[in-house]
Amino acid sequence: MLSLSIKQSVIVMPIIGETGIGRSIYYSKPNLMELAAMLYFLSMGLNFDVANTTLKTLKDREPELFESGKGTRWMLQRDNHKRSLELVEFELDQAMPNGKPLCVYAQIKAGQPVIPVWLDTIYERIASKLKD
């Protein structure tokens, strides 16, 4: 069985049907989305704890993203006050709480990290592979 677990904490567990566990274990689309999202976060250089927290936050804010791939596009950006990455809605031109404009381009130009979290594109890739 393939499940993503670290430190005795299971992050993604396949759904086991009523017919028993046997040898065949199938992952649902939401399970595959969770695994693909974790793979994406880790490939972007996030450590496991940040990737896991981001995944849990996304599941809480928009569970529909994992079911249908439809929903808001997100991004991780640096919060200089907290010295951490913050998950916010993806907008090229957005305003900060103090009213000053915050442009993704300006963050990149200043050398600040911006990591797009577009689960709709990940969902489309999974759906395409499942059709083949």
Side-chain angles (χ1 to χ4, degrees):
M1 169 174 54
L2 174 65
S3 65
L4 182 59
S5 65
I6 294 184
K7 300 179 186 175
Q8 303 299 322
S9 168
V10 176
I11 307 306
V12 180
M13 186 68 169
I15 297 171
I16 299 173
E18 295 176 10
T19 59
I21 57 173
R23 291 198 176 260
S24 297
I25 297 176
Y26 299 98
Y27 288 86
S28 65
K29 275 189 183 179
N31 288 152
L32 292 174
M33 279 293 296
E34 291 174 31
L35 287 169
M38 282 297 288
L39 178 64
Y40 174 74
F41 297 145
L42 295 171
S43 71
M44 290 291 109
L46 300 179
N47 68 34
F48 181 82
D49 291 331
V50 173
N52 188 30
T53 300
T54 303
L55 180 66
K56 285 181 179 181
T57 302
L58 280 169
K59 285 170 58 177
D60 290 342
R61 288 186 186 175
E62 280 202 77
E64 184 64 25
L65 278 171
F66 295 90
E67 294 288 333
S68 68
K70 295 182 175 135
T72 308
R73 285 186 164 183
W74 299 87
M75 68 180 181
L76 287 167
Q77 68 181 21
R78 180 150 174 88
D79 182 341
N80 289 326
H81 299 294
K82 295 180 184 175
R83 295 181 159 249
S84 64
L85 290 174
E86 179 182 21
L87 185 67
V88 297
E89 285 189 39
F90 181 85
E91 294 182 28
L92 288 178
D93 298 305
Q94 68 183 25
M96 291 176 60
N98 63 5
K100 292 183 179 178
L102 172 67
C103 179
V104 172
Y105 300 118
Q107 275 199 292
I108 293 170
K109 191 174 180 180
Q112 298 296 318
V114 175
I115 302 171
V117 180
W118 297 356
L119 295 185
D120 57 321
T121 59
I122 293 172
Y123 185 89
E124 289 171 13
R125 280 187 292 208
I126 290 173
S128 173
K129 288 182 181 182
L130 290 175
K131 284 181 184 178
D132 295 342

